[in-house]
Amino acid sequence: MSPTNGQLLEIFSSIQGEGLLIGWRQIFIRLARCNLSCSFCDTPVQPTENCRVETTPGAGSFFVLANPVSLEVLSTLVADWLERLPGSHHSISITGGEPLMQDRLLQEWLPVLRGLLPVHLETNGTLPEAFAPLAAHVDWVSMDIKLASQTGVPTPWLEHERFLSLAAERGCCVKAVVGADTPLEEVCQAAELVQRAAPCAPLILQPRTLDGRVPMAAAFLLRLQEQAARIHPRVRVIPQTHSFMGLL
Ligand code: SF4
């Protein structure tokens, strides 16, 4: 039997600051656990005793719920927020950590949550087997390509390609975090992968931010974009925007 209670880290309401749905207000449900350990990771992923929940959507203050959290508690909370702020929220963002680490849980949760709002999955794109049975319950997928120059570990190209082939059937975008030390060849390899597996998906180059700034030469970013766009003509450059606005 699938679990119905999940290890959550936080539930809050904010503006999506990255990717295809940038600018839309979402209810974020952050799940614990991750299968990777990227060197730039700033998200605590270990399961905790409690999950923090905004007292009201967008309040920035929190109360705690004991983990694991039941689907009934979660769906009641989401329904309450939608009633309080009618029309404000575009979708629910399932994020992490790596949400697909709790894939059996999501098999129970996603159909119910999707009855409240469309579902957006944010994933590192390395667990295609976990994603396959969930694909029909997801409206948009934001998949990362984990470039070795940034994560400090080899890029899982094969897993990314298998994942992206499945995600291509949904609304899908691919994001690659880039830095001043990202080789052109690496970005070109990412563009080749997207062009092959999901030719309609945008590839978003996301420059790393440091203290609210992008510490990279604009000319270098343009060079990365030009080279990638020769291979895959849907390349965009978008930094994380929520930190500029002081949002969660
Ligand atoms: S995949 Fe995401 S959550 Fe996991 S270690 Fe990398 S940056 Fe952190």
Side-chain angles (χ1 to χ4, degrees):
M1 201 168 109
S2 299
T4 55
N5 296 350
Q7 291 289 340
L8 302 187
L9 296 172
E10 56 182 359
I11 306 168
F12 61 95
S13 162
S14 189
I15 306 296
Q16 175 57 250
E18 302 178 358
L20 198 62
L21 300 185
I22 192 166
W24 288 109
R25 187 161 177 176
Q26 297 184 312
I27 294 174
F28 290 82
I29 300 173
R30 187 181 304 284
L31 278 69
R33 303 199 179 105
C34 188
N35 58 326
L36 301 182
S37 50
C38 308
S39 61
F40 60 78
C41 184
D42 57 2
T43 310
V45 297
Q46 293 308 319
T48 50
E49 195 177 333
N50 297 309
C51 152
R52 69 173 195 162
V53 183
E54 272 190 322
T55 49
T56 57
S61 56
F62 296 85
F63 68 95
V64 294
L65 275 178
N67 269 318
V69 176
S70 72
L71 174 58
E72 187 185 355
V73 167
L74 178 66
S75 58
T76 302
L77 179 94
V78 171
D80 175 58
W81 283 12
L82 297 184
E83 204 175 302
R84 287 184 196 216
L85 294 179
S88 289
H89 292 99
H90 171 267
S91 43
I92 295 171
S93 208
I94 306 292
T95 188
E98 172 46 55
L100 294 174
M101 292 290 284
Q102 298 188 62
D103 56 323
R104 290 177 60 232
L105 172 85
L106 292 178
Q107 288 179 22
E108 300 291 325
W109 281 19
L110 293 189
V112 175
L113 294 176
R114 200 159 175 242
L116 298 170
L117 274 183
V119 167
H120 173 228
L121 176 70
E122 301 189 81
T123 172
N124 64 30
T126 58
L127 298 172
E129 284 79 16
F131 175 66
L134 297 172
H137 304 299
V138 171
D139 297 279
W140 297 279
V141 179
S142 177
M143 181 199 124
D144 284 0
I145 290 183
K146 295 294 185 183
L147 299 181
S149 64
Q150 303 307 302
T151 62
V153 293
T155 302
W157 293 108
L158 285 178
E159 289 85 352
H160 280 333
E161 181 148 5
R162 283 169 48 223
F163 188 100
L164 192 51
S165 300
L166 295 169
E169 294 166 19
R170 319 306 295 174
C172 173
C173 77
V174 181
K175 182 187 81 192
V177 174
V178 296
D181 52 351
T182 299
L184 284 175
E185 298 72 28
E186 196 179 32
V187 167
C188 289
Q189 193 170 353
E192 282 163 10
L193 184 151
V194 180
Q195 180 65 16
R196 206 164 49 237
C200 293
L203 169 61
I204 296 174
L205 304 181
Q206 180 177 294
R208 287 173 77 162
T209 45
L210 188 66
D211 300 329
R213 292 190 65 250
V214 173
M216 289 174 66
F220 181 63
L221 265 176
L222 292 175
R223 183 115 172 85
L224 291 178
Q225 189 272 344
E226 290 160 13
Q227 294 299 312
R230 287 176 190 271
I231 300 161
H232 180 66
R234 296 169 188 263
V235 181
R236 296 158 71 178
V237 179
I238 308 177
Q240 278 188 328
T241 59
H242 47 287
S243 56
F244 296 146
M245 295 186 277
L247 292 164
L248 289 170

